[in-house]
Amino acid sequence: MAKRKSTKEVLPVKDEDEQQPIPTAWRPAFRDIVNAFVQHDYRLSEGVDGVLPVSAKTAKQIKEYIEDYGETLVALPEKTWASSICMWMGKKWEVLIDLWTKGEGQSDLVLSALVSETKDGFQIKIEMVYVP
């Protein structure tokens, strides 16, 4: 019997006490961000809908941290949503997306971002990539 993908929508939850899964509406943007990083485009030169431009300083930090980590970043598999989390912090969500590498699969690296509500939906600000 074939496995079916879960089609259950995950909505943003404003709960300051409990971590939440990444809402389904945000996932395409995070996939696009990581796909750009896989191509070494840390400034997101093509732009990603709903994502603020990445500063030169932040792009340099991300590039150096990934290079220093010593593994090749790969696109996010569907499994990443099982372990990636967000938490409402009163005015925005803090988000940690688990990153994957060619050699390790799920790595120790995470993408840290902030997500704010806007009249059009949401806006993502990339903070950094690091090992927590």
Side-chain angles (χ1 to χ4, degrees), residues 22-92:
I22 305 300
T24 48
W26 305 352
R27 294 177 186 185
F30 282 111
R31 277 192 195 98
D32 290 347
I33 291 165
V34 173
N35 287 342
F37 291 174
V38 167
Q39 301 299 316
H40 309 285
D41 179 9
Y42 306 107
R43 298 277 320 254
L44 306 181
S45 62
E46 300 292 317
V48 174
D49 285 344
V51 181
L52 291 171
V54 179
S55 72
K57 180 180 177 183
T58 299
K60 182 177 188 274
Q61 181 276 331
I62 293 168
K63 176 184 185 292
E64 289 174 353
Y65 216 102
I66 291 171
E67 286 175 354
D68 289 348
Y69 189 75
E71 290 283 337
T72 303
L73 206 60
V74 297
L76 295 177
E78 193 61 32
K79 290 188 250 184
T80 202
W81 309 122
S83 58
S84 298
I85 56 100
C86 66
M87 184 139 182
W88 179 248
M89 301 306 287
K91 294 186 179 190
K92 59 188 80 170

Side-chain angles (χ1 to χ4, degrees), residues 14 28-29 54 60 75 81 92 96 109 111-112 116 128 130 132:
K14 293 179 180 177
V54 179
K60 182 177 188 274
W81 309 122
K92 59 188 80 170
L96 293 176
L109 289 169
L111 166 62
S112 170
S116 303
M128 68 178 94
Y130 69 105

